[in-house]
Amino acid sequence: MSSARDVLALVLLLAATVLGAIWLPTTWLHDNVVEREGFLAITEPLADDPAVQRTLSDTTVETILDDDRIPGAIEERLTPLVQEHAAGLTGTDTYATMWEQTMSELHHALFTPGASELDVDLGPVIDRILTPVEERLPVEIPRPDDASVTLTTIPDSPLLNGLSTVSPWASWSGPAALVLLAVALVIAAHRRTMLALAGLGGILAGAAVWGLGSQAEILVPDSIDQAPFLGPIVQVLEGRFEAAMTPHGVILLGAGALVMSVGLVLVGLHRRS
């Protein structure tokens, strides 16, 4: 009878270890990737990245200058003026609004089944650039009929779609692990030994969390991690994930080692007595 109780307790400890290992990573991913507000909070500072600014600025300039309706006589004078005003737009509200809309579209595309294009409407930006340019040129510059451009193609990612389904329940996995741990210790016939095994489970969970943090790139397909425009954004998210998981993994390792040590000491004292 006591062996059956220990087996059941061991099964509960294994389940608690698994739940403890996935609790912190999935909770972070839910709060900072699946949730739109968390995603935008991380990606908003990227608007100040020179490489990102150059990508949007160059795309806007190309959209303006590719219009066949621009008179050839003024195109040579137009190009440096457009480039100048496009570069100066990065610190304005217009650029910030465009960036927020782009990141919102990106977040939606990441969790939409199938491949999708990341489009951005450059209409307000183009008008903001051409208005002061027209004050320095003798003609009115035509606006593009369609100012929407595709920045990149977001590949299909079943992993992200699956994450958005299960991650809302992630916050419950931590408390559930503690409940399973408590039940295992209550029903176990050899509680001191089970306490030591619980500490070992904590060590394994901590090692898993630390390992996921240090190897965050393995969670992301290369098609997303190396995609134009999208890759640098994903790499920032990976860096944030690593910075969050590494200390939590160390804490779990330390707590598990402490519990395991207490359990082993109690086992030793019991045998001596």
Side-chain angles (χ1 to χ4, degrees):
M1 183 64 178
S2 61
S3 60
R5 290 165 56 190
D6 284 339
V7 170
L8 178 58
L10 185 59
V11 171
L12 293 177
L13 281 182
L14 290 174
T17 299
V18 173
L19 290 176
I22 68 174
W23 172 41
L24 292 171
T26 52
T27 299
W28 189 94
L29 290 171
H30 174 75
D31 294 342
N32 297 281
V33 178
V34 177
E35 286 293 314
R36 177 179 175 275
E37 291 75 14
F39 181 83
L40 294 180
I42 291 180
T43 57
E44 181 180 356
L46 293 177
D48 298 327
D49 187 296
V52 173
Q53 291 178 354
R54 188 163 51 252
T55 297
L56 293 179
S57 176
D58 291 348
T59 301
T60 305
V61 171
E62 291 174 4
T63 303
I64 295 174
L65 298 179
D66 284 346
D67 196 321
D68 295 334
R69 295 172 297 171
I70 297 177
I74 68 167
E75 185 174 352
E76 185 175 343
R77 295 179 58 191
L78 177 64
T79 300
L81 292 175
V82 169
Q83 292 174 339
E84 175 187 345
H85 286 281
L89 200 65
T90 54
T92 66
D93 294 339
T94 301
Y95 179 81
T97 301
M98 180 180 65
W99 178 255
E100 183 177 355
Q101 292 174 347
T102 303
M103 290 301 99
S104 296
E105 290 294 331
L106 171 59
H107 182 265
H108 176 73
L110 285 173
F111 294 98
T112 299
S116 57
E117 295 181 339
L118 176 60
D119 296 329
V120 58
D121 181 14
L122 297 177
V125 183
I126 292 173
D127 189 63
R128 183 74 176 267
I129 293 173
L130 291 182
T131 297
V133 169
E134 288 172 336
E135 296 176 357
R136 302 171 61 177
L137 292 176
V139 296
E140 181 179 349
I141 309 300
R143 273 59 169 172
D145 295 329
D146 183 7
S148 294
V149 298
T150 300
L151 292 177
T152 188
T153 299
I154 310 300
D156 184 31
S157 177
L159 178 62
L160 286 178
N161 295 324
L163 176 64
S164 65
T165 302
V166 303
S167 67
W169 306 98
S171 60
W172 291 96
S173 57
L178 293 176
V179 170
L180 292 178
L181 173 60
V183 172
L185 293 176
V186 168
I187 67 175
H190 300 85
R191 293 175 180 169
R192 300 173 185 83
T193 301
M194 206 58 60
L195 183 63
L197 292 176
L200 177 61
I203 292 175
L204 294 176
V209 171
W210 180 84
L212 283 175
S214 60
Q215 300 292 329
E217 64 275 4
I218 66 175
L219 300 175
V220 183
D222 289 341
S223 58
I224 293 180
D225 195 43
Q226 300 175 9
F229 186 79
L230 177 61
I233 296 173
V234 172
Q235 289 162 17
V236 169
L237 290 169
E238 291 172 355
R240 292 290 189 91
F241 180 77
E242 179 179 357
M245 291 302 103
T246 300
H248 285 114
V250 172
I251 291 173
L252 275 177
L253 281 168
L258 178 62
V259 172
M260 184 176 181
S261 298
V262 172
L264 291 175
V265 169
L266 292 177
V267 169
L269 292 176
H270 177 71
R271 288 181 176 177
R272 289 184 61 184
S273 63

